[in-house]
Amino acid sequence: MSKEISNSNQVQRGLTNRHIQMIAIGGSIGTGLFYGSATSIQMAGPAISLSYVIASIIIFLIMRMLGEMCVEEPVSGSFSYFAKKYCGEFSGFMAGWNYYILYLLCAMSELTAVGIYINYWLPDMPQWLSAFICLAVITTANLINVRMYGEMESAMSVIKISAIIAMIILGIYLLFSNGTPCPQNLSNLWAHGGFLPNGWHGLLTSLVIVVFSFGGIELIGMTAAEVQRPEKVLPRAINEVIVRILLFYVGTMLVLTALFPWNQIGLDGSPFVTIFRDIGITSASHIFNFVILVAAISVYNSAIYSNSRMLYSLAKNGQAPKIFTNLSVHGVPILGIFFSSGITLIAVALNYIIPKDVFMYILLVTVVAIIMTWFSIIITHLGFRKAKIKAGLVETLKFKSLFYPISNYICLAFLALIVIEMCLMDSMRPAAYLIPIWMILLYIGFKCMKAKQNRDK
């Protein structure tokens, strides 16, 4: 055994309760909230807060399904492992590789966002250069050990949480103070076309972008094999998800749309930055640009972590090259980190070629991968619970999902609604068409893998 690569194929439980709480928060606060919310506000108006309430209920139900499985069997690469065990080999292959691609896309979108936010201060600095620097720093940090990832994510989550709470407090102060440069009042919530200015259709279309905002929250499941006392830590983290979402997302959207007319919130940057800039508080806009930059780096950090663990899990299950099962002496899948980080260099190239459009292009494909990931969790949970019922072990489950199986079907109906809305939107229709194409490509990949396995026998 060399100093760099260990023959052991077990990751280490280096994440504490504090790490998991911060990772859970960090996974739900990224550029989807800070940057993508501008698009969703244009679609729904002040009713964007209602969109987040609806989506938060759905994601909480899905997280409880995932939590039930992860607490019972805390393994690395949970999506792939559970899908293979309870729904068949192809399901495991599809869930694992789809999630891997999802987080590759998330990583690319966050790298793109890094360049956008750096340009706020340094407009002459190329976006691709900012993205490359971020890639190099985060990759190096992830190579050290899992605790380093946990500490970095904790620190960045503290910054994001503190900023959002401060923004909400400042926003409330501005709403009820007469001494501000641009005093506002709550009438912005209904004075510009009503609370639902674009009707219920606008609300439904906004849900497509809102789904992107929640992409990554299922990262908690990926940490199951590396967290200390998962049977106690994971339930607590998952149960607090709904509270965090209601505070950070719904509270934030209410404050933003009350502070400034929704139809004047532009798409040229984060609404957090532009709103405070436009009402004359320039220092606040600089602070929030820094926070949004931290958020982008945070999600990229999680993406590199998640992708390396998924490759490790797929390799252990025989669905990826065995070389990815090798770990460093600190229990880190070092080759998976290098490989995943290397692929995200594509985002650096895209930022060089089409810097203005790359974020929205990546967002379109990411929404598809998020929908398929959540779909696989719901279906896998149905198989998991069916197996437990057959074995008479339902009563022994330590952390049951809510309202089984009704909640499963409600969540499936919600995802179907999102796909229908995507088909009705000109900008999202190409992404909706990608779903069957992506399924076919995954199936071809699966058949090729099986053919190779048969040849090697």
Side-chain angles (χ1 to χ4, degrees):
M1 180 171 60
S2 71
K3 284 188 176 183
E4 296 298 327
I5 301 295
S6 168
N7 289 328
S8 170
N9 63 348
Q10 296 298 322
V11 293
Q12 299 178 2
R13 295 193 180 274
L15 298 176
T16 65
N17 176 62
R18 174 176 60 85
H19 293 139
I20 295 303
Q21 295 296 324
M22 291 297 102
I23 290 170
I25 297 171
S28 61
I29 303 174
T31 52
L33 172 63
F34 290 119
Y35 186 74
S37 56
T39 302
S40 57
I41 289 173
Q42 291 297 313
M43 293 175 174
I48 186 60
S49 56
L50 181 57
S51 296
Y52 277 104
V53 169
I54 295 170
S56 67
I57 293 172
I58 296 298
I59 188 57
F60 179 62
L61 293 174
I62 295 175
M63 289 300 296
R64 285 294 300 250
M65 298 173 200
L66 178 61
E68 179 180 304
M69 296 186 289
C70 287
V71 170
E72 199 67 20
E73 302 177 61
V75 296
S76 184
S78 56
F79 310 120
S80 176
Y81 172 84
F82 294 131
K84 180 181 179 181
K85 182 174 181 179
Y86 297 104
C87 295
E89 194 171 359
F90 172 65
S91 295
F93 180 91
M94 181 186 72
W97 281 106
N98 177 73
Y99 190 74
Y100 182 79
I101 296 299
L102 161 63
Y103 249 107
L104 277 181
L105 294 169
C106 282
M108 291 179 186
S109 66
E110 301 309 325
L111 277 179
T112 301
V114 167
I116 292 172
Y117 300 132
I118 290 294
N119 277 5
Y120 183 77
W121 295 308
L122 304 172
D124 295 328
M125 185 173 183
Q127 283 186 206
W128 69 266
L129 180 59
S130 303
F132 181 76
I133 293 172
C134 174
L135 180 151
V137 172
I138 294 301
T139 300
T140 301
N142 271 268
L143 290 171
I144 298 174
N145 55 43
V146 69
R147 190 175 184 88
M148 175 60 72
Y149 159 73
E151 292 295 343
M152 287 185 61
E153 196 56 37
S154 295
M156 288 187 283
S157 293
V158 167
I159 293 174
K160 291 187 287 185
I161 295 166
S162 300
I164 289 177
I165 293 175
M167 191 281 298
I168 292 175
I169 294 173
L170 176 60
I172 293 173
Y173 169 76
L174 292 176
L175 286 170
F176 296 100
S177 171
N178 292 323
T180 61
C182 184
Q184 305 295 321
N185 58 64
L186 294 174
S187 65
N188 278 327
L189 291 174
W190 59 81
H192 307 280
F195 186 70
L196 277 166
N198 296 321
W200 289 101
H201 179 67
L203 178 72
L204 292 176
T205 54
S206 72
L207 286 170
V208 178
I209 308 300
V210 170
V211 164
F212 172 74
S213 300
F214 290 129
I217 200 169
E218 66 286 329
L219 177 65
I220 300 174
M222 293 296 296
T223 67
E226 295 177 273
V227 62
Q228 300 167 8
R229 299 185 301 156
E231 71 284 353
K232 293 184 178 180
V233 172
L234 291 178
R236 180 181 174 185
I238 290 172
N239 280 335
E240 292 179 0
V241 162
I242 188 70
V243 178
R244 297 188 190 104
I245 290 174
L246 291 175
L247 173 62
F248 299 140
Y249 281 88
V250 180
T252 298
M253 290 300 107
L254 280 172
V255 169
L256 286 179
T257 51
L259 272 177
F260 210 74
W262 69 271
N263 54 359
Q264 295 181 33
I265 298 177
L267 303 181
D268 56 339
S270 167
F272 290 76
V273 174
T274 56
I275 282 179
F276 285 101
R277 180 192 64 200
D278 291 344
I279 65 175
I281 308 178
T282 55
S283 60
S285 67
H286 285 290
I287 292 171
F288 275 105
N289 195 69
F290 168 73
V291 173
I292 299 165
L293 175 62
V294 169
I297 296 172
S298 167
V299 178
Y300 183 73
N301 184 38
S302 293
I304 294 300
Y305 167 84
S306 175
N307 278 342
S308 62
R309 271 60 180 181
M310 182 55 78
L311 268 183
Y312 167 76
S313 176
L314 286 166
K316 286 194 70 174
N317 289 330
Q319 296 178 331
K322 284 295 181 183
I323 192 173
F324 291 118
T325 61
N326 291 327
L327 304 176
S328 72
V329 292
H330 299 294
V332 173
I334 188 170
L335 297 178
I337 291 174
F338 275 125
F339 182 77
S340 301
S341 177
I343 292 181
T344 60
L345 281 170
I346 294 173
V348 177
L350 290 175
N351 273 282
Y352 178 77
I353 300 169
I354 46 173
K356 292 185 178 180
D357 301 319
V358 62
F359 183 83
M360 288 305 298
Y361 289 156
I362 295 175
L363 184 148
L364 294 179
V365 186
T366 303
V367 170
V368 171
I370 291 171
I371 290 172
M372 291 182 63
T373 293
W374 291 358
F375 177 83
S376 68
I377 292 173
I378 299 166
I379 296 298
T380 299
H381 179 258
L382 286 170
F384 172 87
R385 184 62 79 91
K386 182 178 179 180
K388 297 301 178 183
I389 292 174
K390 185 176 181 180
L393 298 175
V394 174
E395 297 305 317
T396 66
L397 295 175
K398 303 179 184 71
F399 185 57
K400 291 183 180 179
S401 63
L402 299 176
F403 313 119
Y404 168 87
I406 296 175
S407 60
N408 296 70
Y409 298 124
I410 290 175
C411 292
L412 288 174
F414 174 82
L415 295 183
L417 175 64
I418 295 298
V419 174
I420 292 173
E421 285 297 325
M422 290 172 65
C423 291
L424 297 175
M425 298 167 61
D426 292 338
S427 61
M428 297 297 293
R429 194 174 296 117
Y433 293 160
L434 279 176
I435 295 177
I437 296 173
W438 179 227
M439 290 284 291
I440 292 171
L441 291 175
L442 286 173
Y443 185 73
I444 292 173
F446 173 73
K447 284 297 185 181
C448 291
M449 179 201 72
K450 293 298 294 181
K452 182 180 184 303
Q453 289 177 347
N454 292 332
R455 288 195 303 270
D456 294 341
K457 287 182 180 178

